[in-house]
Amino acid sequence: MKNFKGENTLNKFDLNSQPKINSKMITVNDFNFNNEKALIRVDFNVPLDADFNITDDSRIAATIPTIKKILNDGGACILMSHLGRPKEGPVEKYSLKHIVNRVSELTGAKVNFAADCIGEEATQLAANLPMGEILLLENLRFYKEEEKGDAAFAEKLSKLGTFYVNDAFGTAHRAHASTAIVAEFFGSKKCFGFVMANEIANAQKVLNNPSRPFTAIVGGAKVSDKLLIIENLMNLADNIIIGGGMAYTFAKAMGGNIGNSLCEDDRMPLALELIEKAKAKGIQLLLPEDSVVADKFANDANTAIENNMNITNGYMGLDIGPKATDVFCEVIKNSKSVLWNGPMGVFEMSSFEAGTKAVANAVAAVTSNGGFSLIGGGDSAAAIHKFELADKVSYVSTGGGALLEYFEGKELPGVKAITG
Ligand code: AMP
């Protein structure tokens, strides 16, 4: 199976290995599942092409060790997930039936399918499910009750299994029926799967007592999405690097001319507040000194290098410039732990990828020098894969929004439902 980059994803996961969890979390390793029917919330929200072929099966592959542990114990697995964002009930393109074969191939087990996640058919299939087999339930989001966190819907799901396992970190920040509410019906028979436990353990390495200096790199398009995380990181980090489109709101707030660069005018006062807060706390907040600017949002645009405070009218900053790149990479390489969320520029276009690529390499260098690096958020994860550095950093998180909320200091409902 190839992912979107053509990599063989099966090579990236040892489907038989049980990851080591080094924190005191209750995981599937703490139980014997003999004769248990484990109701597992997984994240099988995988991309499908027009013919319903899976184009990247990483999320399924990641969950296999959890499933295998339970099957090897002599238990059975009832898998529940969402796929896409169906608006009004069942839709063919969001049916989980398209992934039955892949789950069977990766687990080597028989996979039964329930065409409705609750109701008579699901109840019968779950009741008659032999140990050693898997039952995959249809898309949970075909019911509005899932995202509403409806207790009656959660109770119906709970009746299908005898033990609840949450292995879906990507949805842990949502109090949905299957991610949080359902856990209430299992008493102490609930725990994390390996994916979830690994995600939490790696986030905690940074949140609790990181090796110092600790540098947080925050990028991406919008300041508004990242304000809370930057604020919370001020309580943790020694250095905060800000790149990407959001840097121009800071530049304009400081009196700069940013041309056509991205800007959220209403966030300028907050940007100034963050700069003052960093000063007061003695944290080094680094903003890019220069940018690669372009006369249009396109790979073949005319480009130039300009100071961030003085961008020519009609041009927009689409990547950090060479001076900013040097300063940022120097700070990163001198760090002992790094959290990276969000690209430094429009890395999807080759003309504007250099800054993000250099930062990705600096993060990899921290790791090879014995430091810890955590990559979180969809786009920095996509960047690290694009530059083929995923194996050279300590951990690439799968949970964009969930990881962000964790670093914003919020309690994740999916985690709390297990830990209490
Ligand atoms: P986010 O989802 O907020 O992390 O933003 C990621 C997106 O921000 C990526 O698709 C980048 O192409 C985009 N991006 C990064 N820097 C810039 C920039 N200077 N101007 C416009 N878009 C940018």
Side-chain angles (χ1 to χ4, degrees):
M1 164 58 44
K2 308 272 186 194
N3 68 8
F4 66 98
K5 280 190 57 252
E7 295 166 330
N8 191 332
T9 54
L10 284 182
N11 290 341
K12 292 201 306 190
F13 298 95
D14 180 349
L15 302 184
N16 294 306
S17 80
Q18 295 177 4
K20 289 195 177 61
I21 312 297
N22 49 10
S23 119
K24 289 191 198 88
M25 263 175 292
I26 313 162
T27 77
V28 284
N29 264 348
D30 296 309
F31 299 91
N32 186 306
F33 287 86
N34 190 28
N35 277 324
E36 297 282 0
K37 288 183 180 166
L39 180 66
I40 316 177
R41 177 49 158 106
V42 290
D43 181 359
F44 285 175
N45 185 26
V46 292
L48 300 175
D49 66 16
D51 298 321
F52 307 120
N53 297 308
I54 301 164
T55 53
D56 180 357
D57 69 353
S58 319
R59 286 182 172 157
I60 304 173
T63 313
I64 302 302
T66 300
I67 296 171
K68 284 204 164 174
K69 149 75 177 147
I70 291 164
L71 297 180
N72 289 342
D73 274 0
C77 295
I78 300 164
L79 307 179
M80 53 180 178
S81 178
H82 73 284
L83 176 63
R85 292 175 179 269
K87 292 271 169 277
E88 290 293 332
V91 205
E92 168 80 3
K93 79 170 180 176
Y94 294 131
S95 173
L96 280 164
K97 72 179 179 201
H98 305 304
I99 66 161
V100 167
N101 289 345
R102 171 65 55 204
V103 178
S104 180
E105 278 166 26
L106 292 180
T107 56
K110 181 172 178 202
V111 181
N112 307 276
F113 182 68
D116 187 347
C117 63
I118 54 171
E120 191 49 34
E121 187 199 355
T123 304
Q124 284 308 318
L125 284 168
N128 298 323
L129 184 68
M131 295 300 149
E133 289 190 15
I134 293 170
L135 172 62
L136 176 63
L137 304 179
E138 182 56 291
N139 196 340
L140 294 160
R141 290 197 188 164
F142 286 171
Y143 284 88
K144 284 200 167 60
E145 288 86 342
E146 161 64 357
E147 290 184 84
K148 285 186 181 149
D150 184 88
F153 177 69
E155 187 173 13
K156 285 179 193 156
L157 290 172
S158 76
K159 296 261 191 298
L160 301 175
T162 59
F163 201 110
Y164 174 66
V165 178
N166 192 343
D167 212 15
F169 186 69
T171 46
H173 57 314
R174 305 279 180 235
H176 293 169
S178 69
T179 60
I181 315 303
V182 70
E184 292 164 17
F185 299 96
F186 287 89
S188 58
K189 291 180 86 174
K190 58 189 176 193
C191 69
F192 295 121
F194 291 126
V195 174
M196 188 87 169
N198 244 333
E199 290 276 358
I200 299 167
N202 280 290
Q204 283 180 350
K205 273 189 202 162
V206 175
L207 278 168
N208 307 335
N209 235 338
S211 319
R212 296 191 180 278
F214 167 35
T215 299
I217 311 157
V218 186
K222 290 165 125 194
V223 193
S224 46
D225 291 344
K226 310 280 166 85
L227 277 172
L228 287 175
I229 192 172
I230 296 171
E231 254 187 313
N232 202 41
L233 285 168
M234 292 217 182
N235 301 319
L236 290 168
D238 303 294
N239 309 301
I240 300 180
I241 289 174
I242 295 186
M246 69 170 72
Y248 303 101
T249 299
F250 285 83
K252 187 170 175 188
M254 291 188 293
N257 182 3
I258 60 164
N260 287 348
S261 307
L262 275 186
C263 187
E264 291 172 274
D265 286 351
D266 56 332
R267 303 296 163 151
M268 290 199 300
L270 274 165
L272 291 178
E273 258 177 50
L274 287 175
I275 293 171
E276 288 312 312
K277 225 176 186 168
K279 270 188 206 148
K281 283 182 172 272
I283 290 158
Q284 191 174 203
L285 184 76
L286 293 117
L287 290 159
E289 189 185 330
D290 58 353
S291 284
V292 178
V293 298
D295 61 353
K296 59 179 177 181
F297 190 84
N299 204 28
D300 63 353
N302 294 310
T303 63
I305 307 297
E306 290 191 336
N307 187 290
N308 255 32
M309 299 295 279
N310 201 6
I311 293 175
T312 306
N313 288 339
Y315 277 71
M316 62 186 92
L318 294 183
D319 192 10
I320 53 172
K323 285 186 191 157
T325 303
D326 283 351
V327 173
F328 287 3
C329 289
E330 191 61 24
V331 171
I332 295 166
K333 283 180 186 158
N334 287 324
S335 306
K336 291 267 182 336
S337 48
V338 177
L339 165 70
W340 181 22
N341 179 293
M344 297 291 100
V346 186
F347 73 99
E348 298 93 334
M349 297 185 201
S350 58
S351 304
F352 311 108
E353 69 172 20
T356 304
K357 192 174 185 176
V359 162
N361 275 302
V363 172
V366 170
T367 325
S368 61
N369 289 332
F372 180 76
S373 54
L374 173 62
I375 317 302
D379 275 308
S380 16
I384 212 89
H385 283 293
K386 180 177 180 197
F387 304 128
E388 300 188 350
L389 292 166
D391 296 343
K392 302 209 161 40
V393 296
S394 309
Y395 193 74
V396 183
S397 173
T398 56
L403 191 80
L404 267 184
E405 292 202 12
Y406 212 42
F407 278 97
E408 284 169 5
K410 291 183 187 152
E411 197 166 51
L412 305 185
V415 174
K416 187 160 185 277
I418 302 289
T419 57

